[in-house]
Amino acid sequence: MEKGYLCLVLHAHLPYVRHPEHEHYLEERWLFEAITETYIPLLKVFEQLAEEGVAYRITMSLTPPLLSMLNDRLLQDRYLKHLEKLIELAAKEIERTRWLPEFNRMAHYYHDLFTFSRWYFAEKCQKNLVTPFRRLQDAGYLELITSGATHGYLPLMLHREAVRAQVHYAVEYHTRCFGRPPRGIWLPECAYNPGDDEILRDYGLRYFFTDAHGILHASPRPKYGNYAPVYCPSGVAAFGRDLESSKQVWSAEEGYPGDFDYREFYRDIGYDLEYEYIRPYIDPSGLRVNTGIKYYRITGRTHDKQPYNPDWAREKAAIHAGNFMFNREKQIEYLSSFLDRKPIVVSPYDAELFGHWWFEGPQWLDFLIRKIHYDQQTIKLVTPADYLALYPRNQVCTPSLSSWGYKGYNEVWLEGSNDWIYRHLHQGAKRMVELANTFPEATGVLRRALNQAARELLLAQSSDWAFIMKTGTVVPYAVRRTQDHIGRLIGLYEQIMGNRIDEKWLQELEAKDNIFPDLDYRIYSSAENVKRKFEDLALAL
Amino acid sequence: MTQEELAKMTREELLSLAREFKIKNRSRMKKNELIASLNLVYQQNKTTAEAHAKAAAAQKPPEPVYTTGLAPATYPPQQSAETRFPLPSTYNETIVTLLIRDPFWLYAYWDFSREVKAELEKMFGAWQRTPLSLKVWEAQESSGLEPGFFNVSVNPAAGHWYINVQPNHQYTVELGYFTPSGEFMALARSNTVVTPRATASELVDAEWMVVEEDFRRLYQLAGDPQAGSVELAEAFLKKLEQEMGSGAVTSLSSPFGPPPEERRFWLVLNTELIIYGATEPTARLTLDGQPVALRPDGTFTFRMALPDGQKRIPVTACSQDGKDTITITPEVSKKTC
């Protein structure tokens, strides 16, 4: 009989990036890379395990912007084109490396990987990756949960209607994609603001997560610390992140992904190879970018990188999975020595860490799930809903405001580089609420304009823009996205209020910012009946 | 910066620009690659440089800025080719808003309506010269004590301010100014916020009683296991500063960051061999026994990385009917000294 539980949570999210106005758009590569390197490899692991009869339970959040992109025809076709180019490049690499056996093996490996991805994506999944996730959910392996409608950072929103709309549409879209309403939510950036749980309750969400201090600093003191959920006064359960297991995977210095045998992310042939040769496979402007073909291992703190050896890396992934499991067993044994119930250890990670950054991550996960299934009795994989079924009685506490960002609060998203956005976001939300209250039952063009205004606000609210401004990677892009969406929202507001909607422009926006075609602007209405309408919708589905 | 201007610069100058824009692998780029990369950055947003400068400026306490327009100095650029409605610099309303940064800091931003600005102009000559102040009301949560307040004088044109506060307290601010006689005149009142606690709660639940010793153990699992009870909270706060996740890989921007650039000078040298030629478009061609695809005009190019050593590369063309065969065998040797 197990002594405690491990809850692995993978949070999959990408901001909505789709630019029909250009044939190639650098930032669209984020999705393409994540599909090839993270989503397909993870699905492959999950499906293989299921096929072999290995029992497991994994919690996964798939955010509405990511789901929307996976559902989008234009992006699906562009991804296939992108893959075709990669397959062509990998074939050339097989030729080019014929006298370099260590590289040649990897060139074949990439060629196989890309060819497999094409088959998996185009043939097996008919270009839609939402379907295999749904299948794994229905078969009882994955518990799929949602996040904010566009991953908006909730604690920095001023209007309750804005927070509610993020939750409302997320639950609605998730239900459409997966055929059942989500039981839990991954709050964007794990950022919890006391009181937001009441909104979660209104939408039937039973649990969410906080960072470790969200629970540890809850009031009154939580009896089990991070190793059991607490109920907020609203009745929604909050699970705290375990830092020990997080550190083993996340930490740049001590974490597994930094092992010298693992693949080096920063040596990509997009940067390494001769310019004219690689030029057809990088950005059309001539800017060198990552292709995904990488031949080196981390090697050490040196620039003199050695060729990657997949056997060594695989061996390490197995060792690290064993180490992770051993540490969880010890941790749970220690906890059970003084807690009067079976503890739950919650380990959440960004899904894109697996495969994209940590190339061997999916393999590690594969080993870990197998080992937990076959090699031990102490721990069992569960989802938060499973745990709540085992322990329906929990302490009532109010968790503390917190996030999983650097320093644990709101600073990553509110500091010198990005604090200027909030007056605009707040103003945008205020006007959207005003619009929804002014026009409770709009029809025709007016209704379309109102829906589009809501889309623009949601897109502007993505926490990704503030995060990019802070980290300084593609700052101009993030600044422009914020300006564009708020600018469009204000433009629509003025046209609607002035009764002079420019239909041609509206049509352009509908085509360009086409996220959530079914969005109903009335989710911004201040009236309490929004909730009831939602319940009607849930019944209808 | 135009492409022509870039072209006139030396590679070193381009490199230092590339460093500024964090262009990856810049040190390996040729001059024309550097120009292409930089040009793209400039094209993507012509105002990048200003954005950088402004972001940097926003880190410091704002300097007094008395511009002609009404735009507060800390706003980033508003130019965007596609946007028909640029972000306004003011929304023409007198407000002040509070946001929580962490247990010790609040962020306040404000804006003025045209009427208020005109009034301030009348009183102080220019609205930017208003002796503006934030009156910060502070109350301890559920202490029953009367709320106290403190004043923070701010620069009206700054548009925002960070305020140092205490954890687990309730705050509201009033935006206002001091009259010449020293009286505070409020213009707007903010929302109310409660800062998060920075330590564990003192409140213990009778039904879910926890022994002090056990709670400390649980706390230690998250903080530093070595820390004693006194340093525990401090160790915990420090722990939060470790980058562990988040911030999200959402943007697919790096959670780990590239390795530090330790060397300033270096050289990488690779050699590749290109074999190319032409034959009848219908011919079959093999290179070292492997079939090679011809272009429609019968030309072909074959490219290989060339390591040290001796190589024989027989290239054979065979006519469509199989009657004619020609083989040419170049031999190459490469040695790196």
Side-chain angles (χ1 to χ4, degrees):
Chain A
M1 196 59 181
E2 69 275 354
K3 291 186 179 149
Y5 303 95
L6 174 63
C7 172
L8 292 174
V9 184
L10 297 179
H11 171 54
H13 167 64
L14 285 177
Y16 195 72
V17 176
R18 178 183 175 277
H19 293 276
E21 70 273 24
H22 298 285
E23 200 187 333
H24 293 276
Y25 211 90
L26 201 56
E27 282 76 14
E28 283 181 3
R29 279 176 174 256
W30 296 343
L31 174 69
F32 304 159
E33 289 172 14
I35 291 178
T36 311
E37 296 166 0
T38 295
Y39 308 142
I40 292 181
L42 283 177
L43 284 165
K44 200 176 148 194
V45 166
F46 292 150
E47 286 169 358
Q48 185 65 31
L49 287 166
E51 208 168 291
E52 292 177 28
V54 178
Y56 64 92
R57 295 281 285 154
I58 303 273
T59 307
M60 209 168 164
S61 55
L62 293 157
T63 69
L66 173 61
L67 290 169
S68 297
M69 289 192 289
L70 294 177
N71 277 326
D72 185 85
R73 292 301 287 267
L74 177 79
L75 290 173
Q76 290 170 354
D77 291 339
R78 284 188 175 181
Y79 172 65
L80 263 185
K81 266 197 207 157
H82 173 83
L83 258 188
E84 295 295 346
K85 291 290 275 184
L86 277 180
I87 291 169
E88 183 186 302
L89 175 62
K92 280 194 188 175
E93 279 298 284
I94 290 174
E95 285 182 5
R96 196 188 64 84
T97 56
R98 69 154 59 185
W99 289 329
L100 308 169
E102 285 152 318
F103 289 26
N104 193 247
R105 180 176 174 194
M106 285 310 289
H108 276 284
Y109 171 88
Y110 286 116
H111 193 263
D112 292 349
L113 176 75
F114 301 145
T115 320
F116 172 81
S117 302
R118 180 176 57 187
W119 171 80
Y120 188 90
F121 184 78
E123 307 293 322
K124 182 155 189 233
C125 299
Q126 297 295 307
K127 300 190 204 172
N128 193 319
L129 287 185
V130 178
T131 325
F133 282 111
R134 182 172 175 163
R135 224 178 282 130
L136 284 159
Q137 165 197 266
D138 294 345
Y141 295 103
L142 296 186
E143 172 146 332
L144 299 179
I145 60 172
T146 192
S147 187
T150 52
H151 214 256
Y153 194 86
L154 307 184
L156 294 174
M157 288 183 189
L158 200 58
H159 301 85
R160 216 165 157 72
E161 291 90 343
V163 177
R164 204 176 56 191
Q166 280 277 341
V167 176
H168 183 125
Y169 198 74
V171 171
E172 188 178 322
Y173 192 71
H174 184 97
T175 311
R176 270 203 191 106
C177 287
F178 297 114
R180 57 171 93 155
R183 284 186 282 189
I185 184 168
W186 175 264
L187 294 172
E189 315 296 4
C190 205
Y192 168 72
N193 184 42
D196 286 354
D197 47 284
E198 290 165 20
I199 294 172
L200 305 186
R201 175 204 54 207
D202 289 350
Y203 290 95
L205 293 162
R206 292 191 52 213
Y207 65 86
F208 65 95
F209 304 89
T210 76
D211 204 350
H213 53 300
I215 300 295
L216 284 172
H217 295 172
S219 190
R221 270 188 195 194
K223 177 171 172 146
Y224 301 107
N226 287 321
Y227 302 102
V230 299
Y231 283 132
C232 298
S234 60
V236 180
F239 288 81
R241 169 161 88 136
D242 170 56
L243 289 185
E244 192 187 322
S245 57
S246 288
K247 195 169 85 173
Q248 283 191 296
V249 174
W250 270 122
S251 165
E253 291 95 43
E254 307 149 62
Y256 303 134
D259 190 278
F260 294 165
D261 283 340
Y262 285 148
R263 195 187 74 168
E264 170 64 61
F265 180 83
Y266 291 98
R267 282 296 294 277
D268 188 289
I269 64 167
Y271 293 97
D272 280 356
L273 290 190
E274 196 265 325
Y275 191 58
E276 291 308 321
Y277 172 76
I278 204 70
R279 179 136 196 186
Y281 307 99
I282 55 177
D283 192 70
S285 70
L287 184 76
R288 285 180 182 265
V289 295
N290 284 324
T291 61
I293 300 183
K294 302 166 202 279
Y295 290 129
Y296 296 93
R297 58 191 167 92
I298 295 173
T299 315
R301 288 194 160 274
T302 166
H303 282 281
D304 189 19
K305 302 290 180 192
Q306 298 300 312
Y308 181 72
N309 183 321
D311 300 327
W312 297 358
R314 193 183 153 79
E315 190 61 29
K316 273 292 160 65
I319 292 171
H320 287 157
N323 177 274
F324 186 88
M325 186 177 77
F326 174 79
N327 281 308
R328 294 295 75 72
E329 285 178 86
K330 291 293 143 219
Q331 187 181 16
I332 278 169
E333 271 161 16
Y334 171 70
L335 289 167
S336 2
S337 72
F338 65 97
L339 297 184
D340 58 13
R341 67 147 83 179
K342 292 179 186 173
I344 180 169
V345 173
V346 178
S347 310
Y349 307 103
D350 273 329
E352 293 79 14
L353 173 73
F354 294 82
H356 178 73
W357 290 105
W358 180 17
F359 185 58
E360 298 77 7
Q363 224 168 47
W364 174 85
L365 196 62
D366 188 25
F367 283 125
L368 178 66
I369 294 171
R370 282 170 201 278
K371 280 174 195 286
I372 289 175
H373 180 72
Y374 290 115
D375 298 351
Q376 56 83 47
Q377 303 280 311
T378 315
I379 53 179
K380 195 176 159 194
L381 284 174
V382 293
T383 69
D386 298 339
Y387 191 84
L388 288 172
L390 285 166
Y391 291 102
R393 230 177 76 78
N394 291 290
Q395 189 179 356
V396 176
C397 303
T398 304
S400 176
L401 183 140
S402 51
S403 86
W404 76 344
Y406 177 60
K407 292 187 185 173
Y409 297 95
N410 300 341
E411 189 177 343
V412 169
W413 299 272
L414 180 70
E415 53 111 57
S417 66
N418 54 28
D419 53 18
W420 61 273
I421 67 176
Y422 293 99
R423 66 176 70 226
H424 300 292
L425 292 177
H426 294 165
Q427 191 64 225
K430 185 180 147 201
R431 293 188 183 200
M432 192 61 233
V433 173
E434 185 194 332
L435 287 174
N437 290 340
T438 311
F439 302 99
E441 299 291 340
T443 54
V445 180
L446 175 62
R447 186 189 178 94
R448 278 170 51 204
L450 289 161
N451 288 341
Q452 192 57 30
R455 282 181 204 113
E456 301 296 346
L457 175 61
L458 287 170
L459 287 170
Q461 285 173 331
S462 278
S463 69
D464 309 271
W465 313 139
F467 179 75
I468 294 171
M469 291 174 205
K470 154 84 166 60
T471 54
T473 42
V474 281
V475 178
Y477 181 73
V479 168
R480 216 188 54 209
R481 286 293 299 269
T482 306
Q483 289 172 341
D484 281 355
H485 296 307
I486 290 292
R488 287 166 192 165
L489 166 59
I490 289 172
L492 286 165
Y493 172 87
E494 283 169 4
Q495 291 187 357
I496 293 167
M497 292 311 249
N499 197 15
R500 47 182 172 82
I501 297 170
D502 176 350
E503 211 181 327
K504 198 167 151 271
W505 184 59
L506 172 61
Q507 212 168 349
E508 252 171 63
L509 293 187
E510 285 171 332
K512 210 184 276 181
D513 298 331
N514 74 335
I515 194 170
F516 308 149
D518 299 315
L519 183 69
D520 182 340
Y521 72 95
R522 286 173 299 181
I523 60 173
Y524 280 100
S525 153
S526 305
E528 266 304 312
N529 62 11
V530 173
K531 190 188 124 202
R532 248 172 281 129
K533 273 190 195 129
F534 174 75
E535 278 163 3
D536 295 345
L537 175 109
L539 285 177
L541 278 162
Chain B
M1 194 83 60
T2 64
Q3 187 145 13
E4 292 74 48
E5 284 173 295
L6 287 170
K8 279 185 206 146
M9 297 172 91
T10 65
R11 185 167 178 278
E12 282 61 43
E13 287 168 331
L14 291 169
L15 254 181
S16 82
L17 267 182
R19 195 169 303 131
E20 227 181 286
F21 290 110
K22 300 190 169 143
I23 290 171
K24 281 191 213 153
N25 284 39
R26 54 193 175 254
S27 35
R28 290 186 194 191
M29 290 185 184
K30 292 180 199 159
K31 191 176 168 187
N32 60 349
E33 293 174 54
L34 278 169
I35 293 171
S37 311
L38 282 166
N39 199 37
L40 187 91
V41 172
Y42 281 114
Q43 298 254 309
Q44 278 190 345
N45 192 321
K46 294 206 167 107
T47 47
T48 310
E50 291 158 49
H52 273 252
K54 299 224 162 134
Q59 306 270 359
K60 301 178 224 136
E63 313 253 335
V65 183
Y66 302 114
T67 48
T68 46
L70 301 178
T74 42
Y75 279 25
Q78 285 148 18
Q79 177 194 342
S80 170
E82 296 162 16
T83 308
R84 298 220 333 222
F85 297 86
L87 293 186
S89 54
T90 171
Y91 288 98
N92 191 26
E93 43 176 39
T94 307
I95 54 153
V96 56
T97 303
L98 268 187
L99 292 174
I100 299 167
R101 195 188 86 172
D102 57 44
F104 304 99
W105 290 94
L106 297 178
Y107 169 80
Y109 71 79
W110 59 85
D111 197 359
F112 300 108
S113 68
R114 236 172 273 130
E115 294 73 35
V116 166
K117 253 182 209 161
E119 249 174 70
L120 295 173
E121 299 264 341
K122 239 186 268 163
M123 268 183 283
F124 303 102
W127 68 270
Q128 297 92 334
R129 262 179 241 148
T130 309
L132 198 70
S133 186
L134 295 172
K135 187 172 192 175
V136 185
W137 291 93
E138 177 179 62
Q140 201 169 349
E141 272 272 271
S142 64
S143 67
L145 293 175
E146 283 291 301
F149 70 85
F150 56 90
N151 280 298
V152 183
S153 37
V154 294
N155 176 342
H160 70 245
W161 207 263
Y162 285 93
I163 307 163
N164 192 194
V165 293
Q166 302 181 66
N168 202 27
H169 278 61
Q170 181 177 302
Y171 293 91
T172 311
V173 301
E174 282 177 284
L175 176 76
Y177 60 90
F178 284 97
T179 61
S181 58
E183 203 185 338
F184 182 79
M185 297 296 289
L187 294 167
R189 191 182 175 86
S190 78
N191 52 320
T192 299
V193 298
V194 178
T195 49
R197 58 180 81 245
T199 52
S201 170
E202 296 303 317
L203 205 64
V204 180
D205 190 330
E207 193 193 347
W208 300 85
M209 196 66 92
V210 53
V211 189
E212 184 71 30
E213 178 58 29
D214 285 349
F215 188 71
R216 188 182 302 169
R217 284 186 189 178
L218 290 168
Y219 209 84
Q220 276 171 337
L221 277 173
D224 184 348
Q226 310 304 324
S229 58
V230 189
E231 307 104 66
L232 211 56
E234 204 180 319
F236 189 80
L237 286 178
K238 231 175 142 181
K239 187 88 170 181
L240 293 176
E241 294 192 14
Q242 292 181 10
E243 199 101 34
M244 263 204 311
S246 153
V249 199
T250 49
S251 58
L252 288 188
S253 49
S254 167
F256 303 129
E261 291 191 23
E262 41 195 73
R263 296 190 300 195
R264 292 257 55 97
F265 186 75
W266 48 284
L267 171 69
V268 172
L269 191 99
N270 294 303
T271 51
E272 296 200 340
L273 177 69
I274 297 175
I275 293 169
Y276 63 98
T279 179
E280 282 294 324
T282 54
R284 278 175 289 126
L285 190 85
T286 60
L287 185 144
D288 202 8
Q290 303 282 324
V292 174
L294 295 176
R295 295 193 192 93
D297 65 353
T299 61
F300 59 89
T301 305
F302 202 85
R303 169 173 190 139
M304 286 169 283
L306 185 65
D308 282 2
Q310 193 107 30
K311 304 282 173 199
R312 266 174 64 86
I313 312 141
V315 179
T316 305
C318 184
S319 65
Q320 197 177 20
D321 55 18
K323 285 184 184 159
D324 302 302
T325 302
I326 305 175
T327 299
I328 301 175
T329 308
E331 240 187 71
V332 292
S333 82
K334 184 203 154 199
K335 199 170 108 186
T336 305
C337 310

